[in-house]
Amino acid sequence: MRLHTFSMFGMPRLPPEDRQHWEIGEGTDSGLVIEKSWKELVPGHKEMSRELCHQQEALWELLTTELIYVRKLKIMTDLLAAGLLNLQRVGLLTEVSAETLFGNVPSLIRVHKRFWEEVLGPTLGEARASGQPLDPVSLQDGFLTFSQRFQPYVQYCLQVKQTMAYAQEQQDNNPLFHSFVQWCEKHKRSGRQMLGDLLIKPHQRITKYPLLLQAVLKRSPEAHAREGLSAMIAAVESFLRYVNKQVRQGEEQESLVAAAQRIGPYEVLEPSSEEVEKNLRPFCTLDLMSPMLGVAPEHTRQLLLEGPVRVKEGREGKLDVHLFLFSDVLLVTKPQRKADKAKVIRPPLMLEKLVCRPLRDPNSFLVIHLTEFQCVSSALVVHCPNAADRARWLEKTQKAQITLQKLKTEEYVQQKRELLALYRNQDREAPRTRPSSPSPEDSQSSAEGRTPEFSTVIPQLVVTEDVDEEPLLVPDDTSDSGYGTLIPGSPEGPHSVSRLGPQALRRDPRLTFSTLDLRDVPLRPQPPNAQAPQRQSAPELPGEGIRRGSSLPRRDPPTWSEEEDGTSVDGNVVAETLYRARLRRQLPPSPTHTDSAGESPWESSGDEEEGPLFLRPDCTPSPRPLRAEDMLREIREELASQRIEGIPEPQRNNSPQKLTRVQLRRMRGPHIIQLDTPLSTSEV
C-alpha cells in the first residue's frame, strides 16, 4: 500500500539533512545537460578532416557517458535510498541498513559533479562559445589530479563485494525488501536497471576512463595533444593500480581473518604443575594478524596451502596432524573433534629457517628447522597421502621462501634509502659553522662569561682589496700580525685579505687584539724582496719612556738634514743604508729572525701551548744595558721589516751613504721609538 501511494502521488519529501546527506535532488540539475551531437557546437564540421571528426566523436563519448553515469548514480539515491528511508519513517524495513546497502554513493555523486563543473564542463562551454572543435589538451589539468579527485572510489571498491552480498542476502531472506526492490526496478525512473547492476556501475566506470582516453589518443595526430593524453592515461592507470592494490590487500586480510579463526589454542608444551601453567599462560597465544617481520606493512600474511598429513618426530610413532602453510610460517596443528578449531601442537616453523628435503619414500619429505646459528632445532618427517601431495608441498614451500626473501630484501633496500634521504635532509638543514669576525653580541657574551651556541670561534681578519694588475700576497700562518699580516697590493691601494691560524696566535700575543683594534693598524708597502720571509719578532725596547700597559706613542717620522749628510736621499738615510747593506750582504736575512740577543722573543722554547717568552711571569728582561751598535742594529732590522709611513722606496745608486754622528746621536738620544703599528705591551 505504501509503494502504491508512492506511485500515485510521488515520493514524499525527506527532511533537509537526509536530502543533503544522500544527494537527493528534486529535479534535473541544470548544469548536467549536453547537446545531442558535437556537430551542433561546431558549425564548420563539414570542412574538418576525417581524422579530426573521429577525435571529436571519441571526446563526445567521454562527455556523454559521464552524464549518463551520474544519472544512474542518482537512481540509487533519488529512488532506492529515498524510498527506503520513507518506508523506515513509518516503521517498515527498519532492519535494512541504507549505509551498508549503498555505501558512499553520495560521495561519488559529489565527486563527479565537481569533475564536470571544473574539468569537462569548461571544455564543453569553450566549444559552445567559440564554435571550435573540442580541445583534448584542456582536460589535462583535471586528469593529472585524478587520484586526488576520485579518492572516494577506494572506499567504495573495497566494500563493493560486501555491499552486493548484503543486498543479495536481504532479497533472499526478507520478502518485504524483495518486494521493494522489484517495485524500484519497474519504476519509470529506474530505466529498467537492476539493483545489482547499479551497485557494480562505479567499479565499471572507474576502469573505463583509460579506454576512453586511449580512443582519443589514437585519433589525435598532433604531438602536443598526444603528449598530454599520454600523461592523462598514465595518471589514471596509476590510480587504478593503487585501487587494485588496496582491494587485493583487503581480500588477503579477509582470507587471513578466516584462516586465523580456524586455528585455536596454542599448546606446544605440557606444564608439569599448575604453577608452571599459570606462568606459561600469558605466552601461549599465537597472533596471526600481526605483521610479518622484516616485510613492508602493505604485504599481508596469506594462507598458501593446507591439508592433512602424518608426521614423525624422532623415534616416536606417526601422528595425524593438519599443516597450514602461510607466507612466512608453517604451523603444525591437530584437529579437535568437539571444536571447529585446530590447536597448535608444535612451535611455529619460520620459513626463512626451514629446510625441506625429499626422502627415498616418494610420499615423504624431511622438514628441518634451524636456529640463528644455522644448527638444527627440530626435524619432522612428513608423510603425505600420495606423491602428488608431496610435490605440491615442496613446490609451495620453496616458492614461499623465495617470495619471502624477495620481500625482505626490498624492504631492507627501501629502509636504507629512506635513512640515506633522512641523513641528507639533516645535513642540508643543519647550520654550517663558518669562520666569522666576532660580533658585538658575541663580545658581550664572552665578557659576561656566557658560552655562545657554538663554543668554537675561529678568528678571522677580513679586509677587502680589489687588485687588477698584481696578485694578492697572502702570508702563511707564521706571519706577524703587526708586521706581516696585512700587506697591501700597492702603497696607496686598498687593503688585502689575510687569515690567521691557531699556531700564529700562540706565537704572537698581539693577534688577540679585537677587530676594532686591527682596523687602525696602518699597512706597509710590499718589501723589495717579495720572497723574503716576514719578520716575526719585535726589537727589544728601552726601559725608559714607556709606561706599563700602554701603547708606544706615535709621532711623525724623524727628518734628516741634507746639510749634515751632504747628499739627498729623499729624507730616509737609515732605510737607504740598510737597503745597501743588504745588497752588499752585510746584513743577511735570517729565516729564524733572531734579535740582538740571538733569540726570538715570539718563539717558545718548549711546548707550543706555553705563552710567548716575554709574557711568562718567570722571565725578566736582561739587565745588560744596550750598546750603541746593538741599538743601531735593532733599529736597522726593525726599519727593514717595516717601512715608515709616507716614506717612498729609496732609489738604488752606486754612491753609498754613511750615517753622521749627529744622526747617530739622534737615534740614540730619545728612548721612544716610532713604529707604524700600535703595540700594547704589558712587560718591558
Side-chain angles (χ1 to χ4, degrees):
M1 292 175 60
R2 291 287 179 178
L3 295 177
H4 181 70
T5 304
F6 294 165
S7 301
M8 293 292 294
F9 303 100
M11 195 77 65
R13 187 174 182 179
L14 292 172
E17 56 272 12
D18 291 339
R19 287 188 284 111
Q20 182 179 3
H21 173 73
W22 288 99
E23 287 293 326
I24 299 175
E26 299 180 0
T28 304
D29 294 329
S30 58
L32 302 177
V33 293
I34 194 171
E35 290 77 3
K36 293 182 179 180
S37 175
W38 64 272
K39 295 180 181 180
E40 300 179 12
L41 305 177
V42 185
H45 63 274
K46 295 182 180 180
E47 289 78 13
M48 294 170 53
S49 63
R50 184 177 180 181
E51 190 173 20
L52 185 57
C53 291
H54 289 323
Q55 182 199 57
Q56 296 300 303
E57 291 287 350
L59 287 171
W60 196 253
E61 182 182 3
L62 173 63
L63 298 177
T64 54
T65 54
E66 182 75 11
L67 288 183
I68 294 173
Y69 170 67
V70 174
R71 290 167 185 167
K72 290 182 178 179
L73 291 180
K74 294 289 290 181
I75 294 174
M76 285 192 284
T77 57
D78 294 352
L79 181 60
L80 290 166
L84 180 61
L85 293 176
N86 275 288
L87 291 175
Q88 290 180 349
R89 294 184 66 186
V90 295
L92 297 173
L93 297 179
T94 55
E95 68 278 2
V96 180
S97 172
E99 287 77 9
T100 306
L101 184 61
F102 302 108
N104 63 335
V105 171
S107 300
L108 303 185
I109 296 176
R110 298 186 190 100
V111 165
H112 283 276
K113 282 186 176 180
R114 192 179 304 113
F115 187 65
W116 178 268
E117 295 172 357
E118 298 178 359
V119 181
L120 301 181
T123 302
L124 182 62
E126 184 179 355
R128 287 171 179 167
S130 63
Q132 298 297 323
L134 297 170
D135 185 13
V137 181
S138 61
L139 306 175
Q140 183 173 359
D141 293 340
F143 276 97
L144 290 182
T145 58
F146 195 86
S147 60
Q148 291 82 6
R149 294 179 179 273
F150 290 82
Q151 193 66 27
Y153 270 89
V154 179
Q155 178 182 353
Y156 187 86
C157 293
L158 288 174
Q159 300 175 353
V160 64
K161 280 190 175 183
Q162 293 85 345
T163 300
M164 296 184 67
Y166 180 78
Q168 188 64 37
E169 179 186 358
Q170 291 296 327
Q171 290 190 70
D172 295 340
N173 303 327
N174 194 335
L176 291 181
F177 181 77
H178 180 70
S179 301
F180 168 72
V181 172
Q182 285 184 341
W183 176 83
C184 292
E185 292 174 351
K186 295 178 181 179
H187 198 277
K188 60 180 180 179
R189 296 187 58 183
S190 67
R192 297 183 180 275
Q193 294 290 325
M194 308 294 290
L195 178 59
D197 297 338
L198 293 175
L199 293 176
I200 200 62
K201 283 295 181 182
H203 187 273
Q204 295 174 348
R205 179 62 185 179
I206 196 67
T207 57
K208 195 175 182 180
Y209 281 109
L211 301 177
L212 296 172
L213 293 175
Q214 287 174 2
V216 180
L217 174 63
K218 186 178 180 180
R219 295 168 176 82
S220 299
E222 299 86 359
H224 69 284
R226 296 183 64 88
E227 182 179 355
L229 288 169
S230 299
M232 289 187 275
I233 295 173
V236 176
E237 290 180 346
S238 175
F239 177 70
L240 293 181
R241 287 193 297 268
Y242 172 75
V243 173
N244 291 333
K245 181 180 179 181
Q246 296 296 320
V247 172
R248 185 182 67 253
Q249 292 180 4
E251 294 175 351
E252 294 174 355
Q253 193 74 12
E254 293 177 2
S255 176
L256 180 60
V257 170
Q261 291 177 353
R262 297 171 52 194
I263 299 176
Y266 184 83
E267 300 178 0
V268 299
L269 296 176
E270 295 182 2
S272 58
S273 62
E274 294 182 358
E275 182 181 5
V276 174
E277 181 182 3
K278 182 179 178 180
N279 287 275
L280 289 177
R281 190 177 299 119
F283 306 100
C284 291
T285 303
L286 179 61
D287 185 13
L288 292 175
M289 304 303 300
S290 61
M292 295 186 291
L293 298 178
V295 179
E298 59 266 17
H299 297 286
T300 308
R301 181 180 291 107
Q302 304 177 40
L303 178 60
L304 305 177
L305 184 62
E306 63 170 307
V309 296
R310 303 183 69 186
V311 298
K312 182 180 180 180
E313 185 176 8
R315 298 183 179 275
E316 298 179 359
K318 296 179 181 179
L319 182 64
D320 293 331
V321 298
H322 194 89
L323 296 184
F324 289 89
L325 177 62
F326 290 91
S327 301
D328 61 334
V329 66
L330 177 65
L331 293 183
V332 181
T333 66
K334 187 173 181 60
Q336 293 178 315
R337 297 178 181 179
K338 297 181 180 181
D340 297 335
K341 297 183 178 181
K343 64 178 181 180
V344 182
I345 61 174
R346 292 291 185 274
L349 305 177
M350 307 305 295
L351 289 189
E352 58 183 348
K353 299 297 181 182
L354 209 62
V355 178
C356 295
R357 292 288 186 267
L359 300 177
R360 288 179 294 180
D361 183 3
N363 299 341
S364 304
F365 64 94
L366 178 64
V367 176
I368 306 173
H369 190 252
L370 305 178
T371 64
E372 296 292 338
F373 295 96
Q374 299 300 316
C375 57
V376 178
S377 172
S378 62
L380 297 174
V381 178
V382 180
H383 298 273
C384 300
N386 50 59
D389 290 343
R390 186 189 80 162
R392 188 181 304 109
W393 277 104
L394 292 176
E395 179 184 1
K396 287 287 185 178
T397 304
Q398 183 180 7
K399 288 184 178 180
Q401 289 177 329
I402 295 174
T403 304
L404 180 63
Q405 182 64 29
K406 181 180 178 181
L407 295 178
K408 289 194 173 186
T409 303
E410 292 176 355
E411 178 65 12
Y412 176 79
V413 173
Q414 181 65 22
Q415 290 181 357
K416 288 295 183 181
R417 290 176 180 174
E418 294 177 357
L419 188 61
L420 181 59
L422 179 62
Y423 286 157
R424 288 177 178 175
N425 293 338
Q426 290 179 352
D427 294 342
R428 195 177 298 112
E429 296 174 0
R432 300 179 180 178
T433 56
R434 296 180 179 178
S436 58
S437 57
S439 60
E441 292 81 6
D442 297 339
S443 301
Q444 183 179 2
S445 175
S446 300
E448 296 177 0
R450 295 190 303 267
T451 304
E453 181 179 0
F454 300 98
S455 58
T456 304
V457 179
I458 303 178
Q460 181 187 18
L461 177 62
V462 179
V463 185
T464 60
E465 177 182 17
D466 298 329
V467 180
D468 297 334
E469 298 179 357
E470 298 182 1
L472 293 175
L473 295 178
V474 182
D476 54 9
D477 289 340
T478 59
S479 301
D480 189 295
S481 65
Y483 302 99
T485 300
L486 306 175
I487 302 178
S490 60
E492 299 178 359
H495 298 12
S496 64
V497 179
S498 176
R499 300 194 177 189
L500 306 176
Q503 295 183 358
L505 281 171
R506 290 194 295 267
R507 284 195 295 266
D508 194 342
R510 291 172 296 175
L511 297 184
T512 59
F513 289 170
S514 65
T515 307
L516 299 178
D517 296 335
L518 291 176
R519 292 175 184 172
D520 300 330
V521 178
L523 308 180
R524 62 181 179 84
Q526 181 178 352
N529 186 6
Q531 303 297 330
Q534 300 298 321
R535 178 177 176 83
Q536 295 180 341
S537 60
E540 280 190 33
L541 305 178
E544 300 179 3
I546 301 179
R547 294 187 303 272
R548 181 181 299 272
S550 61
S551 302
L552 293 179
R554 300 175 61 87
R555 65 175 184 173
D556 297 335
T559 57
W560 309 100
S561 173
E562 296 183 6
E563 292 78 14
E564 294 175 341
D565 190 50
T567 59
S568 177
V569 291
D570 296 335
N572 192 357
V573 180
V574 178
E576 183 180 359
T577 303
L578 179 61
Y579 179 78
R580 292 172 179 171
R582 283 189 174 181
L583 293 179
R584 291 157 52 188
R585 297 186 178 179
Q586 293 181 0
L587 187 61
S590 174
T592 58
H593 308 285
T594 57
D595 53 12
S596 60
E599 297 179 357
S600 176
W602 306 115
E603 297 274 342
S604 62
S605 59
D607 190 4
E608 284 190 354
E609 297 299 327
E610 298 180 2
L613 186 61
F614 79 102
L615 288 180
R616 298 199 333 240
D618 56 345
C619 298
T620 56
S622 174
R624 181 175 55 87
L626 293 176
R627 295 180 300 174
E629 293 80 7
D630 297 337
M631 184 177 295
L632 178 60
R633 184 167 57 184
E634 290 292 335
I635 294 174
R636 286 179 176 177
E637 291 179 358
E638 180 60 33
L639 294 178
S641 63
Q642 176 176 308
R643 292 289 308 276
I644 301 177
E645 294 183 358
I647 303 301
E649 185 74 21
Q651 303 293 331
R652 295 186 181 183
N653 51 53
N654 296 328
S655 58
Q657 299 293 334
K658 298 182 178 180
L659 296 176
T660 62
R661 293 188 177 184
V662 177
Q663 295 170 345
L664 291 176
R665 282 197 300 271
R666 286 182 178 179
M667 295 168 57
R668 289 185 303 183
H671 295 286
I672 300 177
I673 301 175
Q674 175 68 23
L675 299 177
D676 66 346
T677 303
L679 179 62
S680 297
T681 59
S682 59
E683 194 86 30
V684 178

